[in-house]
């Protein structure tokens, strides 16, 4: 999305604010969808699957349309629709994992989910580069998104819809354990706002501590998603996005220079996306190792999460010092360890600390600790803090690294045995 924003004329300092749609939407949508899915049951469609379907259809349409945006504000609007739809579709997925598995298997279940997400991240990040290699053009007039990006987004839309439909038609859900009690609860006057507020006030201690870790973790990754393209195209590839105001488009030489510079920026953006895909591949490998281990033995979730986040932080810091683009592979491999852990360990720890009957709403509320740091980052947090180090966009990656290391150290707050590792009755 940052590449599309830059192509449509956004300056790098404005990019985090353009990303604010995602966290603002999540702050509102996820607790509500979690609450509603807890109170939903259909013998045919289940509890979580109706939300998968609605979100998938809307998300796929938005994915297809966003690279065709003629101006910046329309692209920002499509991002808002896209994120609202993804939140509707994806929030119940984590609750579904907890619904389907006993406590003893939840680390394994969330790690499997991370493995699949890692595959998707790698493929999606490499799509523009792959499409370009197949001969689709990276060149485009000023203010127009290249055809390679449009084709990549269209492929993503189709794959996303097919994946969700496959889940809907091949996955069964368990009915509520006490159907009569469920019907009585559902028949009560729907006061979801007051209920959500009450659940926020009564969240478990473990959830609050995990929230601190999540805050710094997601501040770091939002910084990467919004600023990695301008930071790396500028600092590592030396091909920053051309600023149209610096060229006279009525002069042939200036127009040629602009188009040449813009094409170089688009090609290096392809490479940034490809290198970023490495963190999806790395998280997949990390998850695969954990899958093999957790299928047989328990893990110390706290130690795994702490070490993974610190390793990821080092990956961000290294970006400032690398002598050539090839070293980005190492950086993103290290970041992938953190990403793989973020997608699994906090949810495994949380699911051991909340009431199963309220799993959906608590998963939704837990995502407040994801979206609030992103909102803070978007409205100026990234720019203010990174500008303390200088004007270069690469300073945002240094801030991301420091934030991720702080998140790792915050794992010392977790002391509850049931969150750290699955406990048998005897223990």
């Amino acid at each position: 999305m940052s590449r599309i924003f830059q192509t449509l004329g956004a300056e790098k300092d404005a990019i985090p604010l353009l990303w604010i749609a995602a966290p603002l939407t999540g702050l509102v949508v996820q607790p509500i969808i979690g609450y509603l899915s807890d109170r939903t049951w259909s013998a045919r469609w289940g509890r979580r699957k109706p939300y998968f379907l609605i979100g998938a259809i809307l998300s796929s349409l938005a994915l297809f349309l966003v690279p065709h945006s003629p101006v910046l504000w329309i692209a920002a609007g499509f991002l808002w629709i896209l994120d609202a739809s993804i939140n509707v579709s994806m929030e119940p997925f984590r609750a579904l994992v907890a619904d389907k598995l006993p406590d003893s298997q939840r680390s394994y279940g969330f790690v499997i989910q991370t493995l699949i997400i890692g595959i998707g991240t790698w493929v999606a990040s490499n799509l523009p580069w792959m499409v370009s290699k197949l001969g689709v053009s990276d060149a485009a007039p000023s203010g127009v998104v290249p055809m390679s990006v449009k084709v990549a987004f269209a492929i993503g839309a189709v794959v996303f819809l097919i994946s969700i439909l496959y889940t809907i038609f091949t996955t069964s859900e368990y009915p509520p354990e006490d159907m009569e009690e469920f019907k009585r609860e559902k028949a009560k006057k729907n006061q979801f706002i007051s209920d959500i507020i009450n659940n926020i006030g009564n969240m478990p201690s473990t959830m609050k501590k995990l929230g601190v870790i999540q805050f710094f973790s997601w501040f770091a990754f939002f910084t990467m998603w919004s600023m990695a393209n301008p930071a790396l195209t500028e600092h590592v590839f030396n091909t920053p996005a051309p600023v149209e105001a610096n060229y006279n488009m009525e002069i042939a030489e200036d127009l040629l220079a602009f188009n040449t510079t813009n094409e170089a920026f688009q090609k290096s953006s392809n490479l940034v996306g490809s290198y970023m895909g490495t963190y999806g591949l790395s998280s997949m490998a990390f998850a695969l190792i954990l899958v093999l281990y957790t299928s047989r033995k328990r893990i110390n979730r706290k130690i795994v999460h702490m070490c993974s986040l610190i390793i990821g932080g080092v990956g961000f810091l290294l970006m400032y010092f690398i002598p050539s683009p090839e070293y980005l592979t190492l950086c993103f491999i290290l970041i992938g360890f953190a990403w793989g852990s973020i997608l699994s360990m906090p949810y495994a720890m949380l699911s051991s600390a909340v009431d199963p009957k309220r799993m959906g709403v608590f998963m939704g509320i837990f995502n407040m600790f994801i979206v609030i740091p992103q909102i803070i980052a978007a409205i100026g947090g990234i720019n203010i803090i990174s500008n303390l180090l200088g004007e270069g966009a690469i300073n945002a990656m240094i801030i991301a690294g420091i934030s991720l290391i702080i998140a790792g150290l915050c794992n010392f707050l977790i002391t509850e045995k049931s969150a750290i590792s699955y406990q048998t009755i005897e223990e």
Side-chain angles (χ1 to χ4, degrees):
M1 283 304 304
S2 293
R3 175 183 182 176
I4 292 176
F5 290 152
Q6 286 185 279
T7 299
L8 295 175
E11 296 185 6
K12 62 185 180 183
D13 288 344
I15 290 174
L17 189 59
L18 291 169
W19 275 79
I20 199 171
L24 276 179
T25 304
L27 185 64
V28 175
V29 171
Q30 292 193 1
I32 294 174
I33 293 299
Y35 176 85
L36 293 177
S37 68
D38 281 343
R39 297 168 64 88
T40 298
W41 175 253
S42 164
R44 180 176 181 182
W45 295 105
R47 171 176 293 176
R48 318 291 182 187
K49 291 192 291 185
Y51 301 94
F52 298 167
L53 180 60
I54 295 169
I57 293 171
L58 295 175
S59 298
S60 297
L61 288 173
L63 269 173
F64 180 81
L65 293 172
V66 68
H68 296 272
S69 303
V71 291
L72 187 59
W73 69 268
I74 292 179
F78 273 131
L79 177 61
W80 201 299
I81 296 170
L82 175 62
D83 278 295
S85 305
I86 288 176
N87 278 313
V88 171
S89 184
M90 299 307 294
E91 191 283 330
F93 258 104
R94 295 188 180 101
L96 179 65
V97 173
D99 290 343
K100 295 281 288 183
L101 297 175
D103 192 23
S104 61
Q105 296 181 359
R106 284 179 185 162
S107 292
Y108 179 71
F110 283 112
V111 168
I112 286 285
Q113 189 179 57
T114 299
L115 175 63
I116 297 169
I117 291 173
I119 296 171
T121 301
W122 179 76
V123 174
S125 297
N126 279 281
L127 264 179
W129 174 81
M130 293 176 182
V131 169
S132 176
K133 286 296 183 182
L134 292 174
V136 182
S137 176
D138 288 316
S142 172
V144 177
V145 177
M147 183 56 67
S148 59
V149 177
K150 293 176 180 177
V151 172
F153 269 70
I155 294 171
V158 172
V159 172
F160 184 78
L161 182 60
I162 292 173
S163 300
I164 296 291
L165 291 176
Y166 177 82
T167 300
I168 290 171
F169 291 116
T170 61
T171 303
S172 60
E173 294 192 70
Y174 300 132
E177 292 183 5
D178 188 334
M179 184 61 73
E180 293 303 318
E181 180 184 357
F182 174 81
K183 290 179 179 179
R184 286 193 296 271
E185 286 292 323
K186 189 175 180 180
K188 291 180 181 179
K189 185 177 180 181
N190 194 352
Q191 298 177 320
F192 65 83
I193 294 179
S194 59
D195 285 350
I196 289 173
I197 293 173
N198 182 60
N199 284 319
I200 291 173
N202 293 296
M203 69 176 68
S205 172
T206 298
M207 187 171 172
K208 296 175 184 177
K209 295 173 183 178
L210 285 168
V212 177
I213 300 168
Q214 291 286 83
F215 180 93
F216 290 103
S217 300
W218 286 89
F219 188 98
F221 271 86
F222 182 85
T223 300
M224 180 190 75
W225 294 326
S226 60
M227 293 301 295
N229 198 70
L232 299 179
T233 53
E234 176 186 298
H235 181 76
V236 177
F237 290 91
N238 296 313
T239 57
V243 179
E244 191 170 340
N246 295 336
Y247 298 84
N248 186 337
M249 295 307 197
E250 296 180 357
I251 299 176
E253 290 182 359
D254 270 15
L255 180 59
L256 178 61
F258 177 89
N259 289 336
T260 301
T261 304
N262 184 52
E263 187 169 359
F265 165 72
Q266 297 294 347
K267 288 187 177 298
S268 63
S269 293
N270 283 347
L271 291 173
V272 169
S274 182
Y275 281 118
M276 284 184 70
T278 306
Y279 89 86
L281 201 61
S282 173
S283 70
M284 180 182 69
F286 173 83
L288 182 59
I289 293 170
L290 285 183
V291 164
L292 297 174
Y293 190 87
T294 55
S295 64
R296 295 177 176 84
K297 298 181 180 181
R298 286 180 287 176
I299 60 171
N300 187 310
R301 300 160 180 164
K302 170 180 172 178
I303 297 300
V304 168
H305 199 41
M306 178 188 300
C307 294
S308 301
L309 294 178
I310 293 173
I311 289 170
V314 171
F316 278 118
L317 296 177
L318 287 175
M319 290 179 178
Y320 185 82
F321 301 101
I322 60 174
S324 62
E326 292 77 17
Y327 289 87
L328 284 173
T329 300
L330 172 62
C331 296
F332 282 112
I333 285 174
L334 300 180
I335 291 167
F337 294 155
W339 182 237
S341 189
I342 286 170
L343 292 178
S344 54
M345 293 300 105
Y347 298 100
M349 288 189 268
L350 176 66
S351 64
S352 300
V354 302
D355 181 355
K357 296 178 182 177
R358 294 185 290 170
M359 189 66 70
V361 68
F362 272 124
M363 286 290 181
I365 292 171
F366 189 56
N367 281 305
M368 291 172 58
F369 298 116
I370 294 175
V371 299
I372 290 174
Q374 294 183 62
I375 292 171
I376 292 172
I379 62 176
I382 294 173
N383 291 335
I384 292 171
I385 299 173
S386 62
N387 285 341
L388 295 175
L389 302 178
E391 294 184 359
I394 193 62
N395 292 320
M397 298 300 99
I398 295 176
I399 298 303
I402 294 171
S403 183
L404 211 51
I405 291 171
I406 293 172
L409 296 175
C410 285
N411 277 272
F412 284 116
L413 296 172
I414 306 297
T415 56
E416 294 80 1
K417 289 183 178 180
S418 62
I420 294 172
S421 181
Y422 167 67
Q423 304 293 305
T424 60
I425 296 176
E426 292 76 12
E427 293 173 314

